[in-house]
Amino acid sequence: QAQPTVIRVPVPAKVFGDVHGQLRDLLLLFGHYGFPSHHWGGDIETTTYIFNGDWVDRGAHQIEVVMLLFALKCLYPGRVFLVRGNHEFRSQSISMGPAGFRSHLAQLFHHLDDKGESAYEAVHCSFDWLPLAA
């Protein structure tokens, strides 16, 4: 479901951004600042998590970062907010060439015919619904 272009989020909030497919870095940030969970000492019940865009392009684990963020949004829709960055636009991803999300998925799913392109389009259809600011 589409969200407004600008969303209001409850405070306190932790803000993460510019992960660029670096899953390990994201997990290290969670380890240092807290993981959005209601288990293992997580603070999701008292803290909002904002993920400013630029989750894709450049890194080795672009789809994994996106899937983790989508899963967190599904689990905690009122506590996790995903904000679209310039790298979540098709034109930016394509302009990144071999480091871009489109190329990343094509390489990852090269043995499955056009499944990389199908995955790319499906993810970008989701990106289209995201707000631009929080």
Side-chain angles (χ1 to χ4, degrees), residues 57-86:
D57 295 336
R58 299 191 193 118
H61 301 285
Q62 298 176 43
I63 193 65
E64 293 87 347
V65 167
V66 170
M67 293 300 104
L68 175 58
L69 296 179
F70 282 4
L72 289 170
K73 179 64 178 171
C74 289
L75 285 170
Y76 308 110
R79 304 302 295 176
V80 170
F81 296 90
L82 306 179
V83 179
R84 187 178 190 185
N86 67 310

Side-chain angles (χ1 to χ4, degrees), residues 76-134:
Y76 308 110
R79 304 302 295 176
V80 170
F81 296 90
L82 306 179
V83 179
R84 187 178 190 185
N86 67 310
H87 287 269
E88 285 73 48
F89 284 86
R90 287 171 182 83
S91 59
Q92 180 67 34
S93 180
I94 291 168
S95 74
M96 293 295 296
F101 188 50
R102 186 178 193 183
S103 295
H104 174 75
L105 292 179
Q107 287 178 317
L108 191 63
F109 297 116
H110 72 276
H111 60 287
L112 297 174
D113 299 324
D114 67 344
K115 297 301 183 209
E117 186 65 25
S118 297
Y120 173 81
E121 279 303 318
V123 170
H124 268 281
C125 283
S126 297
F127 288 166
D128 292 343
W129 293 95
L130 295 174
L132 299 177

Side-chain angles (χ1 to χ4, degrees), residues 1-12:
Q1 177 179 358
Q3 295 183 315
T5 302
V6 178
I7 55 172
R8 292 185 179 271
V9 300
V11 293

